[in-house]
Amino acid sequence: MSTTSELVLIPSPGLGHLVSMVEMAKLLVDRDHRLSVTVLIMKFPMDSEIDSRVESFTASVAARIRFVLLPQQNPSPETSPMAVLTHFMESHKADVREAVAKLSASGSPRLVGLVVDMFCTSMIDVAVEFGVPSYMFITSGVAVLGLMLYLQSLQDEKHMDLTRLKGSDDELDFPCFANPLPAAKFLPSEVFMEEDCRIFLGHARRFRETKGILVNTFAELEPLAVEALAGLGAPAVYPVGPILNIKVESKKGLQIMDWLDQQPDASVLFLCFGSYGSFDEGQVKEIACALERSGCRFLWSLRRPPAKGKLEAPCDYADPADVLPQGFLDRTAGTGRVIGWAPQVEVLAHRAIRGFVSHCGWNSTLESIWFGVPMVAWPQYAEQQFNSFELVVELGLAAEIKMDYRRDLVKGSNILVTAGEIESGIRKLMEGEEAGERRKKVKEMSEKSRKALAEGGSSYLSLGRFIDDVRSQ
Protein backbone atom coordinates (compact mmCIF):
# COMPACT_ATOMS: atom_id res chain seq x y z
CA MET A 1 0.00 0.00 0.00
CA SER A 2 1.35 3.48 -0.84
CA THR A 3 2.09 6.04 1.83
CA THR A 4 -0.63 8.56 2.51
CA SER A 5 0.87 10.81 5.22
CA GLU A 6 4.14 12.75 5.29
CA LEU A 7 5.97 14.07 8.34
CA VAL A 8 8.82 16.57 8.09
CA LEU A 9 11.51 16.24 10.77
CA ILE A 10 13.83 19.18 11.50
CA PRO A 11 16.79 18.36 13.79
CA SER A 12 19.22 20.88 15.21
CA PRO A 13 22.69 20.78 13.64
CA GLY A 14 25.02 18.34 15.32
CA LEU A 15 25.35 14.57 15.10
CA GLY A 16 23.72 13.83 18.45
CA HIS A 17 20.49 15.57 17.47
CA LEU A 18 20.54 14.27 13.89
CA VAL A 19 21.08 10.63 14.87
CA SER A 20 18.21 10.77 17.38
CA MET A 21 15.85 12.20 14.76
CA VAL A 22 16.84 9.59 12.18
CA GLU A 23 16.34 6.76 14.65
CA MET A 24 12.89 8.14 15.47
CA ALA A 25 12.09 8.30 11.75
CA LYS A 26 12.96 4.60 11.51
CA LEU A 27 10.61 3.79 14.38
CA LEU A 28 7.78 5.74 12.76
CA VAL A 29 7.94 4.15 9.31
CA ASP A 30 8.47 0.68 10.80
CA ARG A 31 5.31 1.04 12.88
CA ASP A 32 3.01 2.38 10.15
CA HIS A 33 3.45 1.68 6.43
CA ARG A 34 1.20 4.65 5.60
CA LEU A 35 3.77 7.13 6.93
CA SER A 36 6.74 8.61 5.11
CA VAL A 37 9.33 11.00 6.55
CA THR A 38 11.53 13.77 5.15
CA VAL A 39 14.45 14.92 7.29
CA LEU A 40 15.70 18.47 6.65
CA ILE A 41 19.36 18.78 7.60
CA MET A 42 21.18 21.94 8.61
CA LYS A 43 24.95 21.68 8.71
CA PHE A 44 27.46 23.62 10.76
CA PRO A 45 30.60 24.29 8.65
CA MET A 46 32.74 22.57 11.32
CA ASP A 47 30.71 19.32 11.18
CA SER A 48 32.78 17.45 8.60
CA GLU A 49 31.10 14.12 9.41
CA ILE A 50 27.56 15.15 8.43
CA ASP A 51 27.92 14.47 4.68
CA SER A 52 29.28 10.96 5.18
CA ARG A 53 26.64 10.24 7.82
CA VAL A 54 23.85 11.32 5.49
CA GLU A 55 25.23 9.04 2.77
CA SER A 56 25.29 6.19 5.29
CA PHE A 57 21.73 6.93 6.42
CA THR A 58 20.47 7.05 2.83
CA ALA A 59 21.97 3.65 2.09
CA SER A 60 20.61 1.98 5.22
CA VAL A 61 17.12 3.37 5.91
CA ALA A 62 13.75 2.48 4.42
CA ALA A 63 12.71 4.02 1.11
CA ARG A 64 10.03 6.01 2.95
CA ILE A 65 12.70 8.12 4.66
CA ARG A 66 14.50 10.72 2.60
CA PHE A 67 17.02 13.42 3.45
CA VAL A 68 17.25 16.98 2.19
CA LEU A 69 20.53 18.75 2.91
CA LEU A 70 19.72 22.45 3.16
CA PRO A 71 22.06 25.10 1.71
CA GLN A 72 24.94 25.75 4.08
CA GLN A 73 24.84 28.96 6.08
CA ASN A 74 27.74 30.34 8.08
CA PRO A 75 26.93 31.07 11.74
CA SER A 76 27.34 34.70 12.75
CA PRO A 77 29.78 35.42 15.58
CA GLU A 78 27.72 36.01 18.72
CA THR A 79 28.28 36.37 22.43
CA SER A 80 27.36 32.79 23.34
CA PRO A 81 26.84 29.35 21.78
CA MET A 82 23.10 29.60 22.43
CA ALA A 83 22.88 32.89 20.52
CA VAL A 84 24.97 31.43 17.67
CA LEU A 85 22.61 28.45 17.42
CA THR A 86 19.48 30.62 17.47
CA HIS A 87 20.64 32.94 14.70
CA PHE A 88 21.86 29.95 12.69
CA MET A 89 18.34 28.50 12.84
CA GLU A 90 16.81 31.79 11.72
CA SER A 91 19.15 31.89 8.73
CA HIS A 92 17.67 28.56 7.55
CA LYS A 93 14.02 29.53 7.90
CA ALA A 94 13.60 30.46 4.23
CA ASP A 95 15.27 27.20 3.15
CA VAL A 96 12.93 25.18 5.36
CA ARG A 97 9.93 27.08 4.02
CA GLU A 98 10.99 26.34 0.43
CA ALA A 99 11.54 22.63 1.15
CA VAL A 100 8.16 22.29 2.87
CA ALA A 101 6.46 24.17 0.01
CA LYS A 102 7.81 21.63 -2.50
CA LEU A 103 6.50 18.74 -0.42
CA SER A 104 3.15 20.39 0.16
CA ALA A 105 2.70 21.24 -3.54
CA SER A 106 3.00 17.62 -4.60
CA GLY A 107 -0.07 16.76 -2.54
CA SER A 108 0.80 13.08 -2.26
CA PRO A 109 1.55 11.94 0.33
CA ARG A 110 -0.38 14.51 2.35
CA LEU A 111 1.72 16.71 4.66
CA VAL A 112 0.40 16.11 8.20
CA GLY A 113 2.92 17.88 10.43
CA LEU A 114 6.37 19.17 11.30
CA VAL A 115 8.41 17.61 14.10
CA VAL A 116 11.01 20.16 15.21
CA ASP A 117 13.99 19.82 17.52
CA MET A 118 13.87 21.54 20.92
CA PHE A 119 16.20 24.29 19.65
CA CYS A 120 14.34 24.76 16.35
CA THR A 121 11.24 26.43 17.77
CA SER A 122 11.30 29.21 15.17
CA MET A 123 10.30 26.55 12.61
CA ILE A 124 6.89 26.36 14.33
CA ASP A 125 6.11 29.47 12.26
CA VAL A 126 6.58 27.45 9.07
CA ALA A 127 4.05 24.86 10.26
CA VAL A 128 1.56 27.66 10.94
CA GLU A 129 2.09 29.09 7.45
CA PHE A 130 1.23 25.74 5.87
CA GLY A 131 -1.69 25.05 8.16
CA VAL A 132 -0.29 21.86 9.70
CA PRO A 133 0.36 21.04 13.35
CA SER A 134 3.83 21.19 14.84
CA TYR A 135 5.28 18.72 17.32
CA MET A 136 8.36 19.16 19.48
CA PHE A 137 11.12 16.57 19.84
CA ILE A 138 13.10 16.80 23.07
CA THR A 139 16.46 15.09 22.60
CA SER A 140 16.97 15.12 26.38
CA GLY A 141 14.74 13.74 29.13
CA VAL A 142 11.40 14.74 30.59
CA ALA A 143 13.16 16.43 33.51
CA VAL A 144 14.80 18.85 31.07
CA LEU A 145 11.44 19.60 29.48
CA GLY A 146 9.95 20.13 32.93
CA LEU A 147 12.81 22.41 33.94
CA MET A 148 12.36 24.62 30.89
CA LEU A 149 8.59 24.91 31.39
CA TYR A 150 9.05 25.48 35.12
CA LEU A 151 11.54 28.32 34.68
CA GLN A 152 9.41 29.91 31.99
CA SER A 153 6.38 29.84 34.32
CA LEU A 154 8.43 31.36 37.16
CA GLN A 155 9.27 34.32 34.95
CA ASP A 156 6.01 34.79 33.04
CA GLU A 157 3.47 33.88 35.71
CA LYS A 158 5.28 34.62 38.98
CA HIS A 159 7.40 37.46 37.53
CA MET A 160 10.63 36.10 39.04
CA ASP A 161 13.89 37.58 37.77
CA LEU A 162 15.92 34.46 37.08
CA THR A 163 19.13 36.41 36.53
CA ARG A 164 19.24 37.23 40.24
CA LEU A 165 19.64 33.53 41.08
CA LYS A 166 23.18 33.41 39.73
CA GLY A 167 25.39 32.06 42.47
CA SER A 168 22.58 32.31 45.02
CA ASP A 169 21.72 29.75 47.70
CA ASP A 170 18.01 29.92 46.86
CA GLU A 171 16.23 26.59 46.68
CA LEU A 172 13.71 25.97 43.93
CA ASP A 173 11.04 23.35 44.43
CA PHE A 174 11.49 21.86 41.00
CA PRO A 175 8.74 19.21 40.83
CA CYS A 176 10.71 16.71 38.73
CA PHE A 177 12.86 15.78 41.74
CA ALA A 178 11.85 14.44 45.13
CA ASN A 179 13.57 17.26 47.05
CA PRO A 180 14.18 20.99 46.43
CA LEU A 181 17.55 21.77 44.86
CA PRO A 182 19.80 24.84 45.16
CA ALA A 183 19.20 26.95 42.07
CA ALA A 184 22.89 27.31 41.27
CA LYS A 185 23.37 23.53 41.39
CA PHE A 186 21.01 22.54 38.62
CA LEU A 187 20.57 25.64 36.49
CA PRO A 188 23.12 26.19 33.71
CA SER A 189 25.23 29.28 34.29
CA GLU A 190 24.59 30.39 30.72
CA VAL A 191 20.91 30.89 31.56
CA PHE A 192 21.85 33.81 33.78
CA MET A 193 23.33 35.80 30.93
CA GLU A 194 20.54 38.17 29.94
CA GLU A 195 20.53 37.28 26.24
CA ASP A 196 20.75 33.55 26.84
CA CYS A 197 18.03 33.74 29.48
CA ARG A 198 15.71 35.33 26.93
CA ILE A 199 16.54 32.69 24.29
CA PHE A 200 16.28 29.77 26.71
CA LEU A 201 12.88 30.80 28.06
CA GLY A 202 11.70 31.75 24.59
CA HIS A 203 12.14 28.16 23.47
CA ALA A 204 10.14 26.90 26.46
CA ARG A 205 7.37 29.40 25.80
CA ARG A 206 7.00 28.13 22.24
CA PHE A 207 6.85 24.50 23.36
CA ARG A 208 3.33 25.31 24.57
CA GLU A 209 2.27 26.24 21.00
CA THR A 210 2.84 22.72 19.69
CA LYS A 211 0.22 19.99 19.51
CA GLY A 212 2.43 17.48 21.28
CA ILE A 213 5.94 16.80 22.56
CA LEU A 214 7.94 13.67 21.85
CA VAL A 215 10.66 12.98 24.44
CA ASN A 216 13.66 10.68 24.13
CA THR A 217 13.10 8.92 27.44
CA PHE A 218 10.98 6.18 28.94
CA ALA A 219 8.43 6.53 31.71
CA GLU A 220 10.17 4.07 34.06
CA LEU A 221 13.33 6.22 34.11
CA GLU A 222 11.60 9.50 35.03
CA PRO A 223 8.26 8.74 36.70
CA LEU A 224 8.28 11.87 38.89
CA ALA A 225 9.10 14.10 35.94
CA VAL A 226 6.36 12.60 33.76
CA GLU A 227 3.83 13.08 36.55
CA ALA A 228 4.95 16.67 37.15
CA LEU A 229 4.32 17.76 33.56
CA ALA A 230 0.56 17.73 34.07
CA GLY A 231 0.91 20.58 36.55
CA LEU A 232 3.17 22.59 34.25
CA GLY A 233 0.62 23.00 31.47
CA ALA A 234 2.50 20.95 28.88
CA PRO A 235 0.82 19.81 25.65
CA ALA A 236 0.36 16.07 25.13
CA VAL A 237 3.67 14.36 25.97
CA TYR A 238 4.89 11.14 24.37
CA PRO A 239 7.88 9.42 26.06
CA VAL A 240 9.12 7.28 23.15
CA GLY A 241 12.70 6.36 24.10
CA PRO A 242 15.33 5.33 24.52
CA ILE A 243 15.86 6.31 20.88
CA LEU A 244 19.41 5.24 20.12
CA ASN A 245 21.58 3.98 17.30
CA ILE A 246 22.62 0.92 19.28
CA LYS A 247 23.52 -1.35 16.37
CA VAL A 248 26.81 -2.87 17.49
CA GLU A 249 29.00 -3.55 14.48
CA SER A 250 31.99 -5.84 14.49
CA LYS A 251 35.18 -3.88 15.05
CA LYS A 252 37.57 -6.80 14.77
CA GLY A 253 40.92 -5.56 13.63
CA LEU A 254 40.43 -2.23 15.39
CA GLN A 255 43.30 -2.10 17.85
CA ILE A 256 41.35 -0.87 20.85
CA MET A 257 38.65 -3.54 20.47
CA ASP A 258 41.32 -6.22 20.22
CA TRP A 259 42.82 -4.81 23.43
CA LEU A 260 39.44 -4.95 25.18
CA ASP A 261 39.03 -8.58 24.09
CA GLN A 262 42.14 -9.38 26.15
CA GLN A 263 40.82 -7.78 29.38
CA PRO A 264 38.89 -9.57 32.15
CA ASP A 265 35.12 -9.16 32.29
CA ALA A 266 33.85 -5.94 33.96
CA SER A 267 37.35 -4.63 34.67
CA VAL A 268 37.89 -1.53 32.47
CA LEU A 269 36.98 2.11 33.11
CA PHE A 270 36.01 3.96 29.91
CA LEU A 271 36.55 7.74 29.77
CA CYS A 272 34.84 9.57 26.90
CA PHE A 273 33.36 13.08 26.85
CA GLY A 274 31.20 13.43 23.76
CA SER A 275 31.62 15.03 20.34
CA TYR A 276 33.01 18.27 21.79
CA GLY A 277 34.75 16.79 24.80
CA SER A 278 38.30 17.98 25.41
CA PHE A 279 40.44 19.43 28.20
CA ASP A 280 43.28 21.86 28.58
CA GLU A 281 46.72 20.40 29.26
CA GLY A 282 46.59 21.09 33.00
CA GLN A 283 43.34 19.18 33.38
CA VAL A 284 44.67 16.31 31.25
CA LYS A 285 47.56 15.87 33.67
CA GLU A 286 45.18 15.75 36.66
CA ILE A 287 43.11 13.02 35.00
CA ALA A 288 46.26 11.05 34.19
CA CYS A 289 47.47 11.32 37.76
CA ALA A 290 44.10 10.11 39.09
CA LEU A 291 44.08 7.12 36.76
CA GLU A 292 47.61 6.13 37.68
CA ARG A 293 46.93 6.41 41.41
CA SER A 294 43.68 4.44 41.15
CA GLY A 295 45.50 1.51 39.58
CA CYS A 296 42.41 0.55 37.55
CA ARG A 297 42.35 -0.66 33.98
CA PHE A 298 41.23 2.15 31.67
CA LEU A 299 40.45 3.15 28.10
CA TRP A 300 40.69 6.94 27.71
CA SER A 301 39.43 8.84 24.67
CA LEU A 302 41.67 11.92 24.82
CA ARG A 303 41.13 14.69 22.28
CA ARG A 304 42.86 17.97 21.53
CA PRO A 305 40.77 21.12 22.15
CA PRO A 306 40.38 23.72 19.39
CA ALA A 307 42.42 26.89 19.52
CA LYS A 308 41.16 29.44 22.04
CA GLY A 309 38.35 31.53 20.62
CA LYS A 310 37.50 29.00 17.88
CA LEU A 311 34.10 27.29 17.76
CA GLU A 312 35.37 24.02 16.35
CA ALA A 313 35.22 20.34 17.17
CA PRO A 314 38.21 18.76 18.91
CA CYS A 315 40.53 16.41 17.02
CA ASP A 316 42.94 13.62 17.84
CA TYR A 317 46.48 14.32 19.06
CA ALA A 318 49.32 13.38 16.75
CA ASP A 319 51.09 12.18 19.91
CA PRO A 320 49.16 12.23 23.23
CA ALA A 321 52.47 11.98 25.10
CA ASP A 322 52.90 15.70 24.36
CA VAL A 323 50.24 16.60 26.96
CA LEU A 324 50.45 13.65 29.36
CA PRO A 325 52.81 13.49 32.37
CA GLN A 326 56.28 12.30 31.41
CA GLY A 327 56.46 8.50 31.43
CA PHE A 328 52.71 8.04 32.00
CA LEU A 329 52.18 5.88 28.92
CA ASP A 330 55.08 3.60 29.84
CA ARG A 331 54.01 3.25 33.48
CA THR A 332 50.40 2.38 32.57
CA ALA A 333 51.14 0.26 29.50
CA GLY A 334 50.03 -2.89 31.31
CA THR A 335 46.68 -1.54 32.52
CA GLY A 336 45.48 1.21 30.21
CA ARG A 337 45.20 2.66 26.74
CA VAL A 338 45.02 6.29 25.65
CA ILE A 339 43.27 6.73 22.29
CA GLY A 340 41.66 9.45 20.19
CA TRP A 341 38.16 9.03 18.80
CA ALA A 342 36.33 6.00 20.22
CA PRO A 343 33.41 3.93 18.84
CA GLN A 344 31.40 4.61 21.99
CA VAL A 345 28.50 2.20 21.41
CA GLU A 346 30.79 -0.73 20.63
CA VAL A 347 32.95 0.04 23.65
CA LEU A 348 30.02 0.32 26.08
CA ALA A 349 28.61 -2.95 24.74
CA HIS A 350 31.87 -4.81 25.41
CA ARG A 351 31.93 -7.32 28.27
CA ALA A 352 35.18 -5.83 29.65
CA ILE A 353 33.69 -2.40 30.49
CA ARG A 354 32.86 -1.87 34.16
CA GLY A 355 32.28 1.90 34.36
CA PHE A 356 31.96 5.02 32.24
CA VAL A 357 33.30 8.49 33.05
CA SER A 358 30.83 10.61 31.07
CA HIS A 359 30.08 14.25 30.27
CA CYS A 360 26.39 13.34 30.84
CA GLY A 361 25.12 14.08 27.37
CA TRP A 362 21.68 12.52 27.15
CA ASN A 363 22.57 10.11 24.33
CA SER A 364 25.59 8.91 26.31
CA THR A 365 23.45 8.54 29.43
CA LEU A 366 20.85 6.43 27.60
CA GLU A 367 23.53 4.31 25.93
CA SER A 368 25.16 3.64 29.29
CA ILE A 369 21.83 2.59 30.78
CA TRP A 370 20.97 0.43 27.76
CA PHE A 371 24.20 -1.56 28.10
CA GLY A 372 24.02 -1.68 31.90
CA VAL A 373 27.20 0.33 32.54
CA PRO A 374 27.25 2.57 35.66
CA MET A 375 28.63 6.09 35.25
CA VAL A 376 30.79 8.67 36.93
CA ALA A 377 29.09 11.99 36.22
CA TRP A 378 31.36 14.84 35.13
CA PRO A 379 29.00 17.25 33.31
CA GLN A 380 30.75 19.49 30.81
CA TYR A 381 28.34 21.72 28.93
CA ALA A 382 25.39 22.82 31.02
CA GLU A 383 23.47 24.26 28.09
CA GLN A 384 23.27 20.71 26.70
CA GLN A 385 22.89 18.55 29.77
CA PHE A 386 20.90 20.85 32.11
CA ASN A 387 19.99 18.49 34.96
CA SER A 388 20.30 15.00 33.46
CA PHE A 389 23.36 14.43 35.66
CA GLU A 390 21.25 15.13 38.75
CA LEU A 391 18.76 12.51 37.60
CA VAL A 392 21.28 9.70 37.19
CA VAL A 393 22.94 10.49 40.51
CA GLU A 394 19.60 10.71 42.34
CA LEU A 395 18.53 7.35 40.89
CA GLY A 396 21.76 5.73 42.07
CA LEU A 397 22.96 5.05 38.52
CA ALA A 398 26.08 7.22 38.75
CA ALA A 399 28.76 8.40 41.12
CA GLU A 400 29.99 11.97 40.74
CA ILE A 401 33.25 13.82 40.21
CA LYS A 402 32.49 17.53 39.86
CA MET A 403 28.83 18.47 39.42
CA ASP A 404 29.32 22.23 39.09
CA TYR A 405 32.06 22.04 36.45
CA ARG A 406 31.36 24.06 33.31
CA ARG A 407 33.35 24.31 30.11
CA ASP A 408 32.57 26.94 27.50
CA LEU A 409 32.82 25.63 23.94
CA VAL A 410 34.91 28.66 22.91
CA LYS A 411 36.66 29.85 26.07
CA GLY A 412 37.32 26.51 27.76
CA SER A 413 37.18 26.33 31.56
CA ASN A 414 38.90 28.18 34.37
CA ILE A 415 38.06 25.39 36.85
CA LEU A 416 40.69 22.74 37.55
CA VAL A 417 39.32 19.49 38.95
CA THR A 418 42.06 17.93 41.05
CA ALA A 419 43.44 14.43 40.73
CA GLY A 420 42.14 13.70 44.21
CA GLU A 421 38.56 14.58 43.24
CA ILE A 422 38.78 12.50 40.09
CA GLU A 423 40.34 9.52 41.87
CA SER A 424 37.63 9.63 44.52
CA GLY A 425 34.89 9.47 41.87
CA ILE A 426 36.64 6.60 40.10
CA ARG A 427 36.96 4.56 43.29
CA LYS A 428 33.27 5.11 44.12
CA LEU A 429 32.41 3.58 40.76
CA MET A 430 34.91 0.75 40.60
CA GLU A 431 35.32 -0.45 44.18
CA GLY A 432 33.32 -1.48 47.22
CA GLU A 433 29.79 -2.37 48.23
CA GLU A 434 28.32 0.92 46.98
CA ALA A 435 29.72 0.25 43.51
CA GLY A 436 28.14 -3.19 43.50
CA GLU A 437 24.75 -1.78 44.45
CA ARG A 438 25.02 0.88 41.75
CA ARG A 439 25.86 -1.74 39.15
CA LYS A 440 22.79 -3.75 40.19
CA LYS A 441 20.52 -0.70 39.80
CA VAL A 442 21.88 0.09 36.35
CA LYS A 443 21.30 -3.51 35.22
CA GLU A 444 17.69 -3.29 36.43
CA MET A 445 17.16 0.00 34.59
CA SER A 446 18.74 -1.49 31.49
CA GLU A 447 16.10 -4.23 31.48
CA LYS A 448 13.35 -1.63 31.88
CA SER A 449 14.72 0.42 28.96
CA ARG A 450 14.52 -2.58 26.66
CA LYS A 451 11.05 -3.57 27.83
CA ALA A 452 9.80 -0.01 27.22
CA LEU A 453 10.53 -0.35 23.48
CA ALA A 454 9.23 -3.89 23.13
CA GLU A 455 5.67 -4.54 21.97
CA GLY A 456 3.30 -3.57 24.76
CA GLY A 457 5.98 -1.52 26.58
CA SER A 458 5.42 2.05 27.76
CA SER A 459 7.34 3.73 24.91
CA TYR A 460 5.89 1.38 22.30
CA LEU A 461 2.37 2.35 23.36
CA SER A 462 3.28 6.04 23.58
CA LEU A 463 4.63 6.06 20.01
CA GLY A 464 1.41 4.37 18.88
CA ARG A 465 -0.63 7.16 20.44
CA PHE A 466 1.47 9.75 18.62
CA ILE A 467 1.00 8.00 15.26
CA ASP A 468 -2.76 7.81 15.85
CA ASP A 469 -2.79 11.54 16.57
CA VAL A 470 -0.82 12.37 13.41
CA ARG A 471 -2.92 10.10 11.23
CA SER A 472 -6.13 11.70 12.51
CA GLN A 473 -5.22 15.09 11.00
Side-chain angles (χ1 to χ4, degrees), residues 145-171:
L145 170 61
L147 170 64
M148 296 180 77
L149 294 174
Y150 175 61
L151 294 177
Q152 181 258 323
S153 67
L154 287 182
Q155 176 176 276
D156 292 355
E157 297 171 19
K158 298 187 178 180
H159 309 292
M160 180 180 289
D161 179 9
L162 297 179
T163 59
R164 74 170 180 80
L165 295 174
K166 185 175 183 179
S168 76
D169 295 325
D170 291 17
E171 287 195 337

Side-chain angles (χ1 to χ4, degrees), residues 339-350:
I339 61 174
W341 172 87
Q344 182 167 293
V345 166
E346 284 76 13
V347 171
L348 288 174
H350 199 282

Side-chain angles (χ1 to χ4, degrees), residues 417-447:
V417 183
T418 67
E421 292 174 292
I422 300 166
E423 181 186 0
S424 175
I426 290 173
R427 291 190 183 280
K428 287 177 187 176
L429 186 70
M430 303 290 281
E431 302 172 0
E433 185 177 336
E434 183 182 345
E437 184 62 28
R438 186 176 294 111
R439 189 170 182 82
K440 178 182 176 183
K441 288 181 178 179
V442 176
K443 291 292 186 184
E444 291 172 352
M445 193 60 72
S446 174
E447 292 177 9

Side-chain angles (χ1 to χ4, degrees), residues 45 53 55 85 141 212 230-231 240 260 286 292 314 328 333 358 364 371 377 380 402 417 463:
R53 280 298 187 106
E55 289 179 10
L85 182 61
V240 293
L260 282 174
E286 294 294 317
E292 189 170 359
F328 172 80
S358 172
S364 294
F371 292 113
Q380 303 284 305
K402 184 73 173 177
V417 183
L463 185 66

Side-chain angles (χ1 to χ4, degrees), residues 133-378:
S134 59
Y135 300 89
M136 186 62 51
F137 180 52
I138 305 293
T139 52
S140 296
V142 172
V144 169
L145 170 61
L147 170 64
M148 296 180 77
L149 294 174
Y150 175 61
L151 294 177
Q152 181 258 323
S153 67
L154 287 182
Q155 176 176 276
D156 292 355
E157 297 171 19
K158 298 187 178 180
H159 309 292
M160 180 180 289
D161 179 9
L162 297 179
T163 59
R164 74 170 180 80
L165 295 174
K166 185 175 183 179
S168 76
D169 295 325
D170 291 17
E171 287 195 337
L172 297 182
D173 192 12
F174 178 37
C176 292
F177 288 105
N179 301 304
L181 291 173
K185 184 176 183 181
F186 77 102
L187 296 181
S189 58
E190 287 80 2
V191 167
F192 301 115
M193 295 171 59
E194 185 174 349
E195 182 180 22
D196 279 349
C197 186
R198 175 182 57 79
I199 295 169
F200 179 80
L201 297 179
H203 286 308
R205 195 175 295 115
R206 300 217 66 181
F207 289 176
R208 301 180 187 276
E209 300 176 31
T210 63
K211 188 171 183 186
I213 304 177
L214 296 139
V215 190
N216 188 10
T217 192
F218 53 105
E220 293 80 1
L221 179 62
E222 302 182 85
L224 275 179
V226 172
E227 183 181 340
L229 286 178
L232 292 170
V237 174
Y238 307 94
V240 293
I243 297 175
L244 297 167
N245 182 3
I246 44 82
K247 182 180 179 182
V248 179
E249 300 178 356
S250 174
K251 297 290 184 180
K252 290 294 181 184
L254 189 63
Q255 200 173 46
I256 58 171
M257 300 307 294
D258 292 343
W259 181 81
L260 282 174
D261 289 343
Q262 299 168 23
Q263 308 309 310
D265 289 357
S267 65
V268 176
L269 178 69
F270 179 41
L271 300 90
C272 191
F273 300 94
S275 301
Y276 293 94
S278 62
F279 295 98
D280 297 332
E281 185 174 338
Q283 188 62 75
V284 168
K285 287 181 164 56
E286 294 294 317
I287 296 171
C289 181
L291 287 170
E292 189 170 359
R293 291 192 333 206
S294 74
C296 71
R297 298 174 187 270
F298 67 87
L299 179 66
W300 180 8
S301 175
L302 174 62
R303 314 208 64 200
R304 186 177 67 187
K308 285 287 192 297
K310 296 285 188 180
L311 185 59
E312 297 175 347
C315 59
D316 292 352
Y317 283 99
D319 185 357
D322 292 342
V323 292
L324 291 165
Q326 187 173 4
F328 172 80
L329 293 175
D330 293 333
R331 292 191 299 273
T332 60
T335 57
R337 294 295 297 270
V338 177
I339 61 174
W341 172 87
Q344 182 167 293
V345 166
E346 284 76 13
V347 171
L348 288 174
H350 199 282
R351 57 165 181 79
I353 299 300
R354 182 180 182 84
F356 180 26
V357 181
S358 172
H359 71 304
C360 296
W362 191 243
N363 285 341
S364 294
T365 298
L366 292 179
E367 289 169 4
S368 193
I369 290 171
W370 182 267
F371 292 113
V373 179
M375 291 169 281
V376 179
W378 189 352

